[in-house]
Amino acid sequence: MITDQVVPQEGVPQPAGHASRWQLAVIGAVVALAVGIGLVLGFTVLSPRAAALSTAAGYVPAGAAMYMEAHLDPSENQRAALRAILERFPAVDPDDILTDALADTLDQAESAFGLPVTYSEDIAPWFDGTVAVSLLDYPLTMDASSMALPQTAAMFGVKDSDAAATFGDTLRAALTDTGATFSQAEHAGTTIWSLDVAEMQSSVPVEGVGFAFAVTGDEVLMANGQGVVQAMLDAHDGSSSLATKAELGRLAARLPADWVGLMAVNTQSMFAGMRAQLADQQPELAELVDSYLENVPDLSVATFRFADDALLFDGSSDVPTGPLAPENGQRSLAAAVPGDAILFADGSRVGSGLSQAISTMRAAIALQEGGDEITAQIEQAEAAIGADLEDFVSWIGGGALAAGWDGEQPYGGLVLEAADSAAASTRLGQLKALIELAQESGQSITVETVDIAGVEVTRIVMAGSGDDFMPTPGFEVQYAMNGETVLIGIGDQFVRRSLEMAAGASLADSERFGAALGRFGGTDNAGTFFLDLATLRQKVEEELGLAQDPMYASQIQPNLVPFDYLAMVTRVEGDAAVSRGGLVLR
């Protein structure tokens, strides 16, 4: 049974009236900042322990849309790795972060901001070093006149329930001093305190505005409403919490055990609210959402951890079925990319992904006001090229995106595998015919073919505008088919440099790139990502002349030099797609 009553705080003068809207808005920020400073930074002053899913997961309903957890008191190994990382940055003194000195810094910061609680006196006595945040739902809405915030919850681990209860009293009293009032409710044997936020509502009602909290024996629960806290207590009392979700345990088992952060995303729950609205208002679009959800994993889990020279992240999800299902293979597209590329990303199902994206866009356009006219224009373009847009990209197998700087100008483009060489040749010919048709209609487009390294390259050049008010630069796209590989370049560098590359000069031949892939999964994979941060920094410094700036050279550059590269490799491992990557430091 739930009872609600306004409970005055003993020993605290009661305000004559309600708090103003801005005061109530500030209250939430004060609470978040007061607790957040101590939680986000306070891990360094806590005793270390091994990482494991905290008791917070037992308060989260199994169908929650998103769950994030951080162990802010890492294991001895993780703490040592963090120290090794911090020592790489001249601006950071690890002892200022990894010793008790940080507690004083937090207290001083909280005092300077006038926050109602301090880390040392109000948080540290009860906080066990685990913090979690969850979105119980994700209310995407099609109605602009009715807004709803996600049911949001934050959980803080408790090592001393009496001290945690005292913190709750202190927090409530401090907020009451600002003019706030609280109502009290009992649910599942726990007291829930809810802030009165009626005055925060505007002329456009927004569901989900509020603040409520409860203190249990192992967690301090905070949420944007009493109902959310009640749902959390019910999940804890029952058998359907995230902690009992078998899929989460199965996917997490594929990831490293010693982590400092975990995130789980339930795709089905993320789209459930929108799907329900569409079923009533636009059934055709609801069916489109269903077709999308069939090709993405229901649940994805990721962890974050430290190594001596990197910030590492690992992810695991069920392998989706259908045309977007990834598959491992010896990735060869990097062999067509110049070795000085700064960015490279590839995947095994690019054509299928593009085809589905086009179908999604087509269906969405057809359902919108004025969609018939746009659909008619698309159909005219399809008639001109002699194929549906979905069929136009169906010849693509895997594909890669690459970009870089050749010392004079940036370059970028796509490398596509022709799963059907004949279809690829036909589609490219149809594209050229369509562009030539636009050229004949008076468009400022030039189409020509040139020979580069024995391969026919088509150049499509759009003239720039000399308008004095808003001049626009010219634009060029090139494409070529070299065996079973199709190159599409933005500008005049990518295709030429790819075709003219000397043996051993590709990105695939780069020891640096190879080492990155080797560290995180190897070349037999379903997808890769590589961003060369060190080279990117050097190119920017050269272009902007930053190295000549004494301030930059002495104070900024030394703290950027440690960043080496960002890389990730995805592989199919049994019934799961597993991604391993990291931000690697020098």
Side-chain angles (χ1 to χ4, degrees):
M1 179 176 180
I2 300 175
T3 60
D4 296 320
Q5 56 180 328
V6 176
V7 180
Q9 306 303 301
E10 295 183 6
V12 178
Q14 299 303 302
H18 292 288
S20 66
R21 292 182 182 178
W22 72 265
Q23 286 177 310
L24 291 175
V26 168
I27 286 172
V30 167
V31 172
L33 185 57
V35 178
I37 288 178
L39 297 181
V40 174
L41 298 178
F43 71 91
T44 54
V45 299
L46 300 170
S47 58
R49 61 174 173 74
L53 204 63
S54 78
T55 56
Y59 287 90
V60 178
M66 185 273 290
Y67 175 78
M68 293 188 298
E69 177 181 317
H71 286 205
L72 306 180
D73 51 347
S75 68
E76 291 287 358
N77 287 338
Q78 287 292 284
R79 182 179 288 267
L82 176 58
R83 173 175 284 276
I85 288 174
L86 295 175
E87 288 175 345
R88 296 171 185 268
F89 296 90
V92 178
D93 184 347
D95 289 333
D96 287 343
I97 297 177
L98 296 172
T99 68
D100 293 342
L102 183 60
D104 293 335
T105 302
L106 295 175
D107 291 339
Q108 291 172 10
E110 289 163 337
S111 176
F113 282 100
L115 301 179
V117 295
T118 64
Y119 177 80
S120 296
E121 294 184 6
D122 301 302
I123 298 175
W126 59 266
F127 179 52
D128 77 352
T130 61
V131 57
V133 177
S134 181
L135 300 183
L136 276 59
D137 63 358
Y138 195 74
L140 293 171
T141 178
M142 305 296 293
D143 185 359
S145 65
S146 177
M147 298 178 60
L149 299 177
Q151 297 184 66
T152 305
M155 295 140 281
F156 309 102
V158 170
K159 65 183 179 182
D160 184 332
S161 58
D162 291 338
T166 299
F167 166 76
D169 294 339
T170 301
L171 177 64
R172 205 165 63 249
L175 295 180
T176 301
D177 278 342
T178 71
T181 57
F182 282 87
S183 61
Q184 176 184 352
E186 299 295 325
H187 188 81
T190 300
T191 301
I192 304 174
W193 295 95
S194 301
L195 182 68
D196 180 7
V197 295
E199 293 188 11
M200 292 181 66
Q201 295 295 339
S202 64
S203 58
V204 179
V206 179
E207 296 182 16
V209 175
F211 174 71
F213 74 93
V215 179
T216 73
D218 51 13
E219 295 287 333
V220 171
L221 310 177
M222 296 185 179
N224 61 337
Q226 176 180 313
V228 183
V229 177
Q230 291 173 353
M232 296 164 69
L233 294 172
D234 290 340
H236 188 254
D237 281 351
S239 59
S240 184
S241 71
L242 199 62
T244 63
K245 192 177 181 68
E247 294 88 341
L248 176 61
R250 176 172 53 81
L251 293 173
R254 294 182 177 274
L255 305 177
D258 194 8
W259 46 263
V260 295
L262 176 142
M263 179 176 183
V265 176
N266 187 323
T267 307
Q268 298 290 337
S269 294
M270 291 286 282
F271 284 88
M274 184 179 71
R275 171 64 178 80
Q277 292 183 55
L278 291 175
D280 293 334
Q281 302 174 21
Q282 296 175 299
E284 300 91 343
L285 198 53
E287 294 176 3
L288 185 62
V289 172
D290 288 339
S291 67
Y292 167 77
L293 293 177
E294 289 174 358
N295 291 285
V296 297
D298 291 349
L299 183 67
S300 300
V301 183
T303 57
F304 174 79
R305 58 196 172 98
F306 302 120
D308 289 352
D309 66 339
L311 287 75
L312 302 176
F313 35 88
D314 303 85
S316 177
S317 67
D318 288 322
V319 178
T321 59
L324 297 185
E327 61 180 2
N328 295 335
Q330 283 294 334
R331 316 299 298 161
S332 60
L333 297 180
V337 174
D340 59 1
I342 295 174
L343 169 67
F344 178 83
D346 73 350
S348 61
R349 296 292 190 182
V350 172
S352 299
L354 286 173
S355 181
Q356 185 177 65
I358 292 170
S359 296
T360 301
M361 178 188 68
R362 186 195 299 275
I365 289 174
L367 293 172
Q368 302 305 311
E369 184 178 352
D372 292 344
E373 181 178 347
I374 299 176
T375 298
Q377 294 173 353
I378 294 175
E379 291 174 347
Q380 289 177 5
E382 290 175 330
I385 61 176
D388 291 342
L389 293 180
E390 291 88 339
D391 292 336
F392 192 77
V393 298
S394 63
W395 58 269
I396 303 173
L401 166 70
W405 188 279
D406 64 4
E408 296 182 358
Q409 60 180 305
Y411 66 83
L414 301 175
V415 183
L416 305 175
E417 295 174 338
D420 185 333
S421 298
S425 180
T426 298
R427 298 310 184 203
L428 291 174
Q430 291 171 327
L431 175 62
K432 181 179 179 182
L434 178 62
I435 296 172
E436 289 175 337
L437 181 62
Q439 181 183 25
E440 293 175 1
S441 68
Q443 299 293 325
S444 300
I445 302 175
T446 300
V447 182
E448 65 175 4
T449 58
V450 296
D451 182 282
I452 299 179
V455 177
E456 182 181 274
V457 177
T458 299
R459 299 180 63 233
I460 305 166
V461 182
M462 298 187 66
S465 167
D467 190 305
D468 292 336
F469 178 70
M470 188 177 293
T472 57
F475 186 75
E476 179 171 346
V477 176
Q478 298 182 349
Y479 68 82
M481 187 168 181
N482 186 18
E484 295 184 349
T485 301
V486 173
L487 304 170
I488 301 175
I490 306 300
D492 61 0
Q493 295 295 305
F494 180 72
V495 174
R496 179 184 62 78
R497 296 195 67 211
S498 177
L499 294 174
E500 293 181 344
M501 268 193 309
S506 74
L507 184 64
D509 297 310
S510 164
E511 292 185 7
R512 180 175 169 77
F513 178 73
L517 265 58
R519 176 169 184 171
F520 295 116
T523 56
D524 182 18
N525 58 65
T528 62
F529 176 87
F530 176 75
L531 177 61
D532 189 338
L533 296 171
T535 300
L536 177 60
R537 172 186 57 79
Q538 292 166 3
K539 297 297 184 183
V540 171
E541 288 175 346
E542 291 171 4
E543 287 302 305
L544 300 181
L546 294 176
Q548 313 307 317
D549 182 343
M551 177 68 74
Y552 176 84
S554 64
Q555 301 197 22
I556 299 176
Q557 186 186 52
N559 293 290
L560 296 179
V561 168
F563 292 102
D564 196 357
Y565 64 81
L566 181 66
M568 175 175 283
V569 175
T570 299
R571 283 182 44 79
V572 176
E573 298 180 1
D575 60 354
V578 179
S579 298
R580 306 190 189 282
L583 173 60
V584 178
L585 306 172
R586 292 184 171 185

